Amino acid sequence: MEILLPDTGLFIFQSLAFLLLIFVLGKFAWKPILSGLKEREETIENALLSAEQAKSEMEALNADNAKLMAEARSERDAMLKEAMAAANTIKEEAKEETGKITAKMLEDAKAVIENEKRAALADVKTLVASLSLEITEKVLRKELSDKKAQESLVDEYVKDLNLN
């Protein structure tokens, strides 16, 4: 039973050594350990706060990025609409200009055709007149080959002159 129950002197000595160890640890070790733990706790808490701030800043940046993307898309859409409107305007102006040019070309062609037609008619009239004169000359030569026909024609012309 002696092994199970220690001697009182040993018990007191071990108790005193334990109390002295607790006192020395409390005096020299507990304060630095507790202050180290407190610093660690504060560091962790600061890290958590920094992480929360970083998270909120990231969310704000994401929101800003989304807003900028939306603005960029709307600007792009506006620019595309303006470009399409400008293209349509240019296309319409080109159509109008083409129409004007076509109309002018048609007018010029009609004028050229009319001038050619008039020139052709004048040539035909001149040709008809010259042919008529030739035919008339040949007919008159044939009819006025005798002297009596010539005298009657001259008399007829003289009467016409007196009347006019």
Side-chain angles (χ1 to χ4, degrees):
M1 200 80 211
E2 248 181 64
I3 294 179
L4 291 175
L5 293 174
D7 202 12
T8 17
L10 182 65
F11 180 74
I12 291 175
F13 177 73
Q14 284 183 346
S15 294
L16 283 176
F18 181 71
L19 289 175
L20 182 66
L21 178 66
I22 295 234
F23 175 75
V24 169
L25 283 177
K27 189 78 172 164
F28 298 108
W30 283 110
K31 284 185 183 179
I33 290 174
L34 288 178
S35 67
L37 286 174
K38 190 164 193 140
E39 283 180 27
R40 175 80 173 152
E41 186 178 312
E42 288 174 0
T43 305
I44 291 172
E45 189 174 316
N46 287 338
L48 287 174
L49 287 175
S50 295
E52 277 295 319
Q53 286 178 342
K55 182 180 177 184
S56 64
E57 287 176 4
M58 286 297 291
E59 288 174 356
L61 286 175
N62 283 339
D64 287 344
N65 284 343
K67 182 179 176 183
L68 288 174
M69 289 296 284
E71 288 177 4
R73 283 186 187 114
S74 66
E75 286 179 18
R76 180 200 64 197
D77 291 343
M79 289 173 75
L80 283 174
K81 284 181 184 178
E82 287 178 21
M84 291 297 285
N88 287 337
T89 303
I90 291 170
K91 194 185 322 179
E92 290 299 319
E93 288 175 358
K95 281 183 182 178
E96 289 176 14
E97 188 67 27
T98 303
K100 288 178 184 177
I101 291 171
T102 304
K104 175 113 173 83
M105 288 175 70
L106 284 174
E107 285 179 26
D108 291 346
K110 285 180 182 178
V112 167
I113 290 171
E114 187 64 32
N115 288 337
E116 292 292 326
K117 180 179 167 185
R118 284 183 187 151
L121 285 176
D123 287 344
V124 168
K125 283 181 183 179
T126 305
L127 185 61
V128 167
S130 88
L131 286 176
S132 296
L133 284 175
E134 285 180 27
I135 291 172
T136 306
E137 184 182 336
K138 287 180 183 178
V139 169
L140 283 177
R141 276 193 193 147
K142 206 179 212 191
E143 286 185 5
L144 297 178
S145 55
D146 67 6
K147 188 150 176 98
K148 189 175 183 185
Q150 289 178 1
E151 287 176 1
S152 74
L153 183 64
V154 169
D155 287 339
E156 191 178 316
Y157 282 147
V158 170
K159 285 180 189 175
D160 283 342
L161 286 175
N162 289 335
L163 294 175
N164 288 336

